[in-house]
């Protein structure tokens, strides 16, 4: 068995493609992803912040102070084209056609409306499809400033002192006292993202070498030679399985260590506040726990990948069979980020989902160690059952020589 293991491992180490998928990709994936995310998000926010939007205000003389504030704001520029806008429909058509970025409709004089005891409803027409859009917030802020002035003036006309305005307008203030710390808050958001990176990399560490160890042997015609050697088929399968487990664990180790190193680099040098806040309290023991949880998962992937590869006739056929396996791994990860999905005694037995939930809780700093033990036990049992199936699969002549 160990001779098979040494032979397979030596051949894999000579393959540059295997080294790229098992070593290079996990090392580079985190800095590339973090750098791309930071660059894209900062560029998008900067572009949205600096963009000057053309606008039109219908009935601007109803609120001259507000109209002046919009006119002199650095983010707005009055429309200077030949088209005229007098109704909401015309504003909508102008925004849709790209003539203006925003239209504001003032239906009445806000001060007169207030005197009559009614509320003035202003309408802002714009395209809100963009995810980063400061346009409406800026208009709302300027309108709120004008609204506050009208409000204060009205209260003063009733003889109410400035010092009591706040208490009269808001008799009760509800204050949120959040028991979750910053790590828990950010961990809930970022922790669900990490399994998307870690678990597929663990799978990749097993699948690519597995194709060569099963279907590759068939295609090269060396499987028959292996079967003639004085070792049992069980030892042969175990030798190949341990080889795959080694590459998958190597990929897992490199992935976790790479994540730790790059996070440390980000904490030391980069000005990424959200990463610093989220990972500043992440200890080495937390990374070790993530690593331990990924180990039995690596064994499951190694067994599945080897069984598929043994069944395939050729290298290409094995690649086709591996594709559904890769897609299938994402489904349980998606379940883990669904609303209100938590690590419980029940979810601790759902393969892959349990590990994804546990990783999220580890990042949040709220993981229950009892559930970690349950996950490790459940995943190890599934891995053992799949390995037993793999051995039985390899002993069938109709599978080996299809």
């Amino acid at each position: 068995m160990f001779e098979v293991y040494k032979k397979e491992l030596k051949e894999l180490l000579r393959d540059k493609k295997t080294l790229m998928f098992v070593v290079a990709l996990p090392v580079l994936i985190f800095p590339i992803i973090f750098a791309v995310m930071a660059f894209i998000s900062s560029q998008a926010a900067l572009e949205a912040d600096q963009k000057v939007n053309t606008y039109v205000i219908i009935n601007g003389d109803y609120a001259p102070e507000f109209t002046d504030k919009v006119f002199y704001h650095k983010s707005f520029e009055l429309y200077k084209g030949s088209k005229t806008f007098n109704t909401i429909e015309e504003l909508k058509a102008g925004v849709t056609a790209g003539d203006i970025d925003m239209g504001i409709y003032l239906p009445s004089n806000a001060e007169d409306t207030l005197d009559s005891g009614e509320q003035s409803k202003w309408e802002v027409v714009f395209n809100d499809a963009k995810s980063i859009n400061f346009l409406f917030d800026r208009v709302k802020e300027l309108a709120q400033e004008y609204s506050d002035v009208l409000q204060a003036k009205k209260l003063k006309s009733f003889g109410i002192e400035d010092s009591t305005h706040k208490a009269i307008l808001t008799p009760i203030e509800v204050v949120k006292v959040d028991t979750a710390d910053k790590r828990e808050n950010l961990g809930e958001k970022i922790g669900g993202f990490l399994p998307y990176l870690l678990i597929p990399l663990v799978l990749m560490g097993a699948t690519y070498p597995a194709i060569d160890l099963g279907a590759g042997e068939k295609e090269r015609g060396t499987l028959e030679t292996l079967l003639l050697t004085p070792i049992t088929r069980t030892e042969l399968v175990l030798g190949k399985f341990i080889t795959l487990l080694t590459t998958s664990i190597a990929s897992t180790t490199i992935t976790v260590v790479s994540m730790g190193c790059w996070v440390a680099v980000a904490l030391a040098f980069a000005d990424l506040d959200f990463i610093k806040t989220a990972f500043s309290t992440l200890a080495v023991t937390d990374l070790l726990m993530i690593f331990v949880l990924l180990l039995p998962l690596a064994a499951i992937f190694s067994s599945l990948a080897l069984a598929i590869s043994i069944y395939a006739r050729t290298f290409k056929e094995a690649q086709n069979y591996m594709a559904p396996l890769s897609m299938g791994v994402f489904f349980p990860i998606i379940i883990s980020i669904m609303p209100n999905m938590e690590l419980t005694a029940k979810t601790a037995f759902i393969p892959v989902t349990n590990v994804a939930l546990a990783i999220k809780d580890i990042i949040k700093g709220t993981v229950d160690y009892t559930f970690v033990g349950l996950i490790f036990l459940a995943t190890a049992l599934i891995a053992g059952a799949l390995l037993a199936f793999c051995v039985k699969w390899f002993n069938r002549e109709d599978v080996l020589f299809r």
Side-chain angles (χ1 to χ4, degrees), residues 2 9 18 23 26 34 64 68 105 111 113-114 140 158 160 174 180 193 212 247 306 312 316 339-340 353 360 369 398:
F2 288 106
L9 193 62
T18 302
V23 179
F34 286 150
D68 288 345
Y105 179 72
E111 200 163 354
T113 308
L114 180 61
K140 196 175 177 182
F158 293 148
I160 301 172
V174 179
F193 176 68
D212 188 64
T247 58
L306 185 57
K316 189 175 180 181
N340 294 327
T353 299
K360 188 165 74 172
Y369 296 104
D398 58 330

Side-chain angles (χ1 to χ4, degrees), residues 19-69:
L19 290 177
M20 187 188 77
F21 279 105
V22 175
V23 179
L25 192 61
V27 170
L28 296 176
I29 192 77
F30 287 107
I32 291 174
I33 288 176
F34 286 150
V36 170
M37 281 176 58
F39 178 76
I40 292 176
S41 59
S42 63
Q43 285 298 310
L46 185 65
E47 188 177 334
D49 184 55
Q50 293 181 342
K51 184 180 180 184
V52 177
N53 301 283
T54 55
Y55 74 95
V56 166
I57 298 181
I58 299 177
N59 303 326
D61 53 335
Y62 286 161
E65 295 87 349
F66 168 77
T67 305
D68 288 345
K69 282 179 181 288

Side-chain angles (χ1 to χ4, degrees), residues 261-307:
C261 291
W262 287 112
V263 167
V265 170
L267 291 173
F269 299 105
D271 187 21
L272 299 173
D273 290 336
F274 73 98
I275 291 180
K276 289 182 179 180
T277 308
F279 293 102
S280 58
T281 54
L282 194 65
V284 176
T285 51
D286 295 326
L287 292 175
L288 283 174
M289 203 180 305
I290 292 174
F291 174 75
V292 168
L293 285 171
L294 292 175
L295 285 179
L297 206 58
I300 288 179
F301 292 155
S302 299
S303 302
L304 282 173
L306 185 57

Side-chain angles (χ1 to χ4, degrees), residues 166-235:
K166 189 176 180 181
I168 290 173
L169 294 173
T170 314
I172 299 174
E173 183 181 7
V174 179
V175 180
K176 182 172 71 174
V177 181
D178 191 0
T179 57
D181 55 20
K182 285 186 178 178
R183 175 179 172 177
E184 190 174 346
N185 269 324
L186 287 173
E188 178 68 27
K189 300 174 181 72
I190 298 176
F193 176 68
L194 280 182
Y196 271 108
L197 298 176
L198 294 173
I199 295 175
L201 282 172
V202 174
L203 176 65
M204 191 183 295
T207 52
Y208 188 79
I211 294 173
D212 188 64
L213 296 190
E217 293 272 16
K218 283 187 180 179
E219 206 166 56
R220 292 192 299 271
T222 54
L223 182 62
E224 290 82 356
T225 309
L226 272 178
L227 294 173
L228 291 173
T229 55
I231 57 174
T232 65
R233 292 192 180 184
T234 302
E235 290 174 326

